[in-house]
Structure formats: C-alpha cells, structure tokens
Amino acid sequence: MELLRLTGRFGKQYAGHIAAVVVLQLVSTLATLYLPDLNADIINNGVAQADVPYIRRVGLLMLAVSLAQVAAAVGAVWVASAAAMKIGRDIRRAVYDNVSRFTSEDMSHFGAATLTTRATNDVQQVQMTTLLFFNFMVTAPIMAIGGVIMALRQDSGMSWLVIVAVVVLAVVVTIIAALLMPLFRRMQQRLDAINGLLREQIAGIRVVRAFGREEFESERFTDANAALTKLSLNIGRVFVTMFPVIMLILNVATAAVLWFGGHRVDQGLVEVGSLTAFMQYLMQILMAVMMGVFMLMMLPRAIVCGRRISEVLAYEHTAPPAENQQPDASEVERGIVEFTDVTYRYPGAEEPVLKDIDFTARPGTVTAIIGSTGSGKSTLMGLIPQLYYPTSGQVRLGGSVAMVPQKPWLYRGTVASNLRVGKPDATDDEIWEALRTAQAHFVEDLDMPIAQGGSNVSGGQRQRLCIARMLVARPDIYLFDDSFSALDAVTEAKLQEAMTAYTKDATVLVVAQRVASIRNADQILVMEAGEIVARGTHEELMRTSETYREIEASQKAVTA
C-alpha cells in the first residue's frame, strides 16, 4: 500500500518518537484496563463488606493509577503530534524539491492545480491520518484484546455478548469503509478541478473582464462548486448515518449486559461489582472499535492522497537520451552555447517545433534571434537553461546562465529581496548599480514592496526589475527572451548601451521582435517554421535573406 510505504519512508527517522509513543500508550492503556478491575474490587470486597479502610486503600490506588494514565496519555499525544507534524513537513519538502526539478513537460503532465493540491491538502490528510494512527495504534488493539480478556475474567458466561457486539460493529465499519473509499477518491479529483478553475480565473481575470465573460465564468465556477458540494454532502450523509448506528450498537449492548447480567446476579452466578466491571470492559472494547472507526473515517481519503503524493515523488523527470545529455560544464569552454543538430517536439505533437538547429554563441558576442510569431524562438531559448530537453541533438553550455523570460515574474517581497534571488549576498551598492543600468529609475527605496507576480508595477517596470535581477547575478550567459517588448525605443537604447559594462565579456542571446534593436548584434539568426533559414550580421542579411528584408520592411511600414 502506497500510504504505508510513504509514511514508512519518512517516518523511519523518527523511530525514537514512535517508540516513546508505544511505551506511553502501553502504560496508559494498561492503566485504563486496570481501573474497572479495581472498581469491581471495591464494590465486591469493600462496599459489600462495609470495609471503609479497604475502600480508602483501594481508592487511593485507583487515584494513583488514574494520574499515571492521564500523564501517559498526555505524553503520548504530545510526542505523536510532534512526530506526525515532522513527517508531514518532510513529505511537503520532498514534494516541493521534486517538483522544483520538473521541466515544462513534467509540469504539463500533472498540471499546476493538482500539484498544488497534492503538496497541501493531500499531505495534510496523510499527516492527520498518521497522527490518528500514532494515537490509536497501541491503544485500540490492546484495549480491545485486553478488554476481552478482562471481561471474561469477570464473567465468562456472557462472552457471547462481546462476540455479537464486536462482529456487528465490525460489519458496520466495513460497509462504511467500502462506501467512503470511492467517494474520497472523487473528492480529491473535484478539489483538483476547482483549484485549477479558480487559479485559471484569477490569473485571467483581465481577459474575462475585457470580453465581458464574468457571467459565463461565474457559471463554470458554480457548476464545479456545486459538484464538490454534492459530493461532500454524500460523504456527510454516510457519516451522519454511521454515528447513530454505532451509538445504537453501544446502547443495545449496554442494555443487554444489564438485562442478562441482572438475571445472573439474581441467580448468584456473578457479583454486582463484577457485572459493573464487565459492562465497563464491554464499553472499552466497543470504544476501541470506535477508535478504529475514526481511523477508517480518515483512511480511505488518506490512501487516495498517499497514492497521489507517491505519483509525484516517483515520477521520473523528463531527461534527454544519453547521447543528447549536456556534458559536464568543466568540459565546455566558459560562456559557450552550442547547438548541434537539435530537434525538439512537444509531447503528443505530430511535428517538431524545432528542426536541425545548429549554431554557436561565444563570449563577448551578441546573438540575436528573430522571426515571426510561432517560429520557435522562445522554445529555442528554453532549451538553454534546460526548461526543455532536446528530442534529438545536443545543447552544450559552459558556465552559469540567467534568463529574463517572455513573461517576467517577480516574487512577493521587496525590490531588494527580488534582486538578491540570483546573488543572496549582493550589496546595496550592487543592487542600485543594476537598477540604474536597467533604467529602473522609478525605484526610490530598496524596501519598495512588490506584490506576487509583480502585479503592483507596470509591464515595463516589471521587465526592467527582472533585467536588473539578472545583472546582479552576473552570469556567464545572458538570455533575453523578448525582454524589451514593454519598453519604448529610447529606454531600450539607453538600457542596451548601459548594459555593455556587464555583458562585454559574457555571451548574450536576445530574442527580439524589432529589427532596430538588433542591428548591432554580432550574429542574427532568422527563424521560420522552427528552422534557421538565414544567419549573419544585419548588413549581410539585408543582402542575402528575403525573409529578413520582409521583416524589416513590414516594421518600417508600420512606423511610417
């Protein structure tokens, strides 16, 4: 079972905590089983004989046993809680670490919504079930088995009552578990669906408003919410039926003990104290079964969640074939970017998005990539920091890489915390220098707050802050994936001129839309339908490439 393997894998390092829980619960359970026996002793030998000193002596012993039981129970819960929370923490960390190494292909295999659910809600379910297991793993079986033994010591003639009550309760619990398992599996799927829908609508709220689709999206969310609500109500109906049935079994068992036990007392076959103890032991036995019920309430959902978490942890990251793998960086000249016969096909696509890509970018040079929308420019850039792996061919890199993606992203925090992502020990002077170079003159204070995703700054400001972040890191290879699209021509020209001091000895690759911004590039790659159809300097391409001339002509026509 995946749940057992998962908790065993992350729980073995807390063997000391688990051993302490076992010992404390053993003490607590044995004390609980001993108390009814002492109570019967007081009734039979103290109250019946009017022996006050005996009652006082045994009563003090009962008090001591009760205190020991309370102390052991509290200690067991405290240690079990600590162990369960630490196991949950470690599982979340493992899921996060594994997902953080996913390529874009791996992310699309699962989807952001289900990964969010698996790293939060699923782990929480496993964590809570582990806590219940730690609390009941010793108590329930020992109390059930010990209760049977102690009850038979008091009056073996009514053992059939114990058997009937336990069998009936076990049948009810089994039926409930069989009903809950598929419902909980569907519950997690519905949670995935509503998380994905909510995430999509929040991220695309501007598009929704721009096209006046608020009502349509509201209906979509209402349908998903109603489906989750309906399923939750079905699970709730099982639970509300379960508790009355279990209480009915407990009360019928109590009434049966009083009825049949009363006749046995009248016949002189059992003493009153023993009958009282038998009834208490029967309650303890049924309470132990109740503990199992509580476990089963959580277990079906936890099994589903454990399986989903294990799928993420066991998922093998997409990796290139051995012949396409990136060689050790020490084997490649620092700053080199080399593509050799690289082809890339998205999973499930009929045609490759990149075909037979060959080029080399060297330190101290600027390589620009231009082409129509959908020609594969961003995909090519994504292969360099290994956001994707080539389907065939090889990408060779030498040194560190930093990238400003097509959709720049900032983290919630401050300007300083965002710019220190690439270099945590960067000084304030380094940050200010990078901001000035990136033309981010709007920043007056390094503690200026930044919202999640950079939603509290404009698109151009977001791009400039991301460029400044890359400048602070000072990588060997700079990647600009259409990173100047939100900047006006004057700001872009100033920024590129100011960056020269940072990039003069580094390798720079730029995806651009405007010919004017790449005129001075050392090498321009013209892409069309996933292929490099021309390469050279601006002057060379103007003489030799019809595609390049068409791009420039179209842009001149727009600006004219």
Side-chain angles (χ1 to χ4, degrees), residues 241-313:
T241 304
M242 174 183 68
F243 285 108
V245 170
I246 291 174
M247 291 306 299
L248 176 64
I249 295 171
L250 292 175
N251 291 330
V252 169
T254 303
V257 169
L258 292 174
W259 175 265
F260 293 105
H263 287 291
R264 291 179 65 78
V265 170
D266 186 55
Q267 296 169 6
L269 299 176
V270 64
E271 296 181 85
V272 175
S274 298
L275 178 62
T276 304
F278 183 91
M279 187 164 58
Q280 290 177 333
Y281 283 126
L282 180 60
M283 290 299 100
Q284 288 182 355
I285 294 168
L286 296 180
M287 286 303 297
V289 179
M290 279 284 290
M291 292 178 188
V293 170
F294 283 117
M295 277 291 297
L296 286 172
M297 287 169 55
M298 300 290 291
L299 193 58
R301 191 171 184 179
I303 290 173
V304 173
C305 293
R307 187 178 301 123
R308 285 157 51 91
I309 293 169
S310 296
E311 286 176 0
V312 177
L313 295 178

Side-chain angles (χ1 to χ4, degrees), residues 330-357:
S330 61
E331 302 175 7
V332 185
E333 182 183 340
R334 193 174 187 82
I336 285 289
V337 176
E338 184 178 62
F339 279 61
T340 306
D341 298 326
V342 171
T343 296
Y344 178 75
R345 177 185 286 104
Y346 283 106
E350 294 182 1
E351 296 293 330
V353 68
L354 294 175
K355 292 172 283 188
D356 302 323
I357 302 297

Side-chain angles (χ1 to χ4, degrees), residues 414-436:
T414 63
V415 169
S417 67
N418 270 276
L419 266 63
R420 286 193 171 101
V421 167
K423 187 180 180 183
D425 59 347
T427 64
D428 289 355
D429 290 341
E430 290 178 298
I431 293 175
W432 280 118
E433 182 184 355
L435 288 169
R436 286 191 293 269

